[in-house]
Amino acid sequence: MNRFHGLSGESADAIATITDTTVSDVMAAHRADLDAWAMEQKLRVHPDLAVVDADLDRIRHRS
């Protein structure tokens, strides 16, 4: 649900407390999840991008 409505400060604080991390860590993980989810959505709409994505991952991991 947070992908559609955002992650509230209250929720981020609760998650940080439960996981013994900082709110900054929670927000960074949330942003990373949103980025990954956005890419998944693009790949569903444009399956041909999966090949390009795989190539970019391969290049990125070589560096």
Side-chain angles (χ1 to χ4, degrees):
M1 184 153 157
N2 66 34
R3 289 179 175 158
F4 300 103
H5 302 290
L7 183 63
S8 71
E10 185 178 305
S11 293
D13 187 52
I15 293 168
T17 299
I18 292 167
T19 59
D20 194 31
T21 59
T22 67
V23 171
S24 294
D25 290 338
V26 172
M27 295 306 290
H30 177 62
R31 281 189 298 275
D33 178 64
L34 288 177
D35 290 344
W37 181 72
M39 179 55 80
E40 289 172 16
Q41 299 308 305
K42 288 178 186 176
L43 292 175
R44 283 191 184 120
V45 174
H46 302 285
D48 52 314
L49 291 177
V51 174
V52 175
D53 185 52
D55 283 341
L56 291 173
D57 283 346
R58 183 179 46 77
I59 291 167
R60 188 176 21 227
H61 288 96
R62 269 197 297 179
S63 303

